[in-house]
Amino acid sequence: MRPSIRISAILWGTILLVALWCFATRLWTFRRIFFTHSGIAVTQREAYDLYHNGSWSQTNRTQYIPKIIHQVFHNWDDPNNETLPADWDDVRKTCIDLNPGFEYRLWTAKTSRALIAQQYPFFLKTYDAYPHAIQRVDAARYFILLHYGGIYLDLDNGCKTDLSPLLYFPTWTCDPGRGALSNNILASAPNHPFWMYLTQKLLEYDVDWVFPYVTISWASGQWFESAVWEAYHDLLPSASSSKGKTTLEGNGDDGGQLYRILMDDREGADEWVFFTQERGGSWINWDNRMFLWIGDHLGVFILMVGATVGIAAWVGLRISRRMKLRDGMMAKERRTSLSRSGFGFGYGYERLDSRRGSDT
């Protein structure tokens, strides 16, 4: 095999191995994102009953989360118009009316950016450079919770009752019961270390993955939140015992673990006591359906990717063997041609011998 062919084969082999390694590591990360999550799972009914009827009376349970409801509205079509669509305005009124003791804050594009610029200027360049507007909404909610604490809700989520029972969990997110965690409803005490950790990770995860759905989900959305959630729990001393934990213990000192409020909308799942789901989908892009299908058929997708990689490796091996065989045949033909033209070793020796014979 010629040196150039050998170098090319080594190069492509190395590229294939690196690609397989990257795929394997991403697959491992995705496994953590889409399956059993760390933290303490709490159904909405459990939270409600423990507050109103259970062992967590208001006298022996610490209220960690301030009574603030946050929502974010960035009008991408008309930035100067800060008026909510009528249906979203009706939805948010359910939370305002059912929680009269709460402060309510609606964050616009201007006020969201002002918070970043004034309190977290290290992130402003990244915030402004996000390729998709929804990423600024994602980032804004994280910094709002870090700075002020409170309960954050997407504008397509309404309230069914008083949210006070949810103020006694230091930090929580929503778990739809399948796939990644959700960042549509979040809550926290101010300056919680999880949000400090997560907002720093936004810089590390700021990558444009070409596909809008992947970029949004992995750089700032629910995949990002889920990955950071798992990484944060890995840092906790009690991480080994927190995976899939469902027991509520003590008076709130749970070793720094976070909580997952279950919000599974499938038939037969635990009831939604606190929240409703209304019209959403404001950030839907052309690739959403494809990746939603992948999420619902993850096993099939993994098999398809594995088969594709296997076929590509087999084709590459076949091509390499054919190139090697072709090079061998060409080398043989060159040797034969040289021999016939008088430049081969055998022919040269014969001529030399014949000359010596004539001299004698």
Side-chain angles (χ1 to χ4, degrees):
M1 183 184 294
R2 288 184 298 173
S4 60
I5 300 298
R6 188 179 296 110
I7 293 173
S8 178
I10 293 173
L11 178 61
W12 281 108
T14 303
I15 292 173
L16 179 60
L17 288 175
V18 171
L20 289 173
W21 179 83
C22 291
F23 174 75
T25 55
R26 290 299 180 187
L27 189 62
W28 177 257
T29 302
F30 277 8
R31 184 197 68 82
R32 301 194 70 197
I33 290 175
F34 293 116
F35 294 94
T36 304
H37 296 291
S38 300
I40 302 173
V42 185
T43 68
Q44 295 182 51
R45 174 55 63 184
E46 280 182 313
Y48 182 90
D49 288 344
L50 285 167
Y51 178 81
H52 290 287
N53 310 316
S55 59
W56 288 358
S57 67
Q58 297 181 51
T59 57
N60 64 14
R61 178 75 177 178
T62 302
Q63 178 186 320
Y64 295 94
I65 299 174
K67 289 188 172 184
I68 310 173
I69 295 175
H70 302 279
Q71 293 190 293
V72 176
F73 176 60
H74 294 182
N75 192 332
W76 304 324
D77 298 324
D78 184 3
N80 294 320
N81 183 2
E82 298 178 352
T83 303
L84 282 174
D87 56 342
W88 282 355
D89 190 46
D90 291 340
V91 172
R92 74 156 177 165
K93 285 178 181 177
T94 63
C95 293
I96 295 173
D97 294 344
L98 291 170
N99 295 276
F102 283 65
E103 177 185 355
Y104 178 84
R105 295 189 180 185
L106 180 65
W107 294 82
T108 65
K110 293 179 181 178
T111 56
S112 298
R113 189 182 185 280
L115 173 67
I116 303 296
Q118 295 168 12
Q119 301 296 333
Y120 307 99
F122 76 91
F123 189 71
L124 186 61
K125 182 178 179 181
T126 302
Y127 182 84
D128 287 339
Y130 273 136
H132 304 284
I134 187 62
Q135 292 182 269
R136 284 183 280 278
V137 176
D138 285 336
R141 73 189 69 185
Y142 303 144
F143 283 101
I144 288 168
L145 288 180
L146 171 62
H147 191 72
Y148 292 99
I151 298 176
Y152 167 84
L153 297 94
D154 274 353
L155 287 165
D156 55 353
N157 291 115
C159 297
K160 299 172 71 174
T161 188
D162 176 21
L163 301 181
S164 293
L166 299 174
L167 302 177
Y168 296 83
F169 304 94
T171 289
W172 53 265
T173 187
C174 287
D175 186 349
R178 62 190 187 280
L181 298 171
S182 175
N183 67 349
N184 63 330
I185 304 177
L186 307 165
S188 180
N191 297 309
H192 191 282
F194 171 69
W195 298 107
M196 295 180 185
Y197 182 71
L198 181 143
T199 50
Q200 292 291 331
K201 285 291 184 179
L202 282 167
L203 299 173
E204 178 183 330
Y205 279 72
D206 181 28
V207 177
D208 189 339
W209 294 95
V210 181
F211 292 101
Y213 185 84
V214 176
T215 299
I216 294 167
S217 299
W218 189 239
S220 61
Q222 65 271 24
W223 294 0
F224 163 76
E225 179 210 5
S226 301
V228 175
W229 178 279
E230 298 300 333
Y232 178 81
H233 277 86
D234 288 343
L235 301 175
L236 299 178
S238 56
S240 60
S241 62
S242 67
K243 179 68 71 173
K245 185 176 179 181
T246 58
T247 303
L248 302 175
E249 300 172 350
N251 64 350
D253 182 9
D254 298 300
Q257 295 178 52
L258 313 182
Y259 290 82
R260 295 178 286 117
I261 304 298
L262 300 184
M263 290 187 63
D264 192 335
D265 60 0
R266 291 173 294 184
E267 185 177 353
D270 296 301
E271 65 175 316
W272 287 28
V273 176
F274 296 101
F275 306 108
T276 64
Q277 178 66 58
E278 309 299 337
R279 176 186 68 87
S282 59
W283 63 282
I284 295 297
N285 286 283
W286 60 268
D287 60 340
N288 279 61
R289 288 186 179 181
M290 178 179 69
F291 285 103
L292 288 175
W293 182 91
I294 291 173
D296 291 336
H297 305 84
L298 190 58
V300 175
F301 175 71
I302 292 172
L303 289 175
M304 290 171 61
V305 171
T308 302
V309 172
I311 292 171
W314 178 79
V315 170
L317 183 61
R318 294 280 295 180
I319 292 174
S320 177
R321 287 179 176 176
R322 288 189 178 185
M323 291 176 65
K324 184 177 180 180
L325 180 61
R326 185 193 64 182
D327 290 343
M329 294 177 64
M330 291 177 64
K332 184 177 179 180
E333 289 177 359
R334 283 196 299 270
R335 288 195 299 270
T336 302
S337 177
L338 289 172
S339 177
R340 290 176 178 174
S341 62
F343 292 99
F345 288 111
Y347 187 78
Y349 284 132
E350 290 175 1
R351 293 187 62 186
L352 182 60
D353 289 342
S354 64
R355 288 178 180 177
R356 287 177 178 174
S358 62
D359 291 340
T360 58

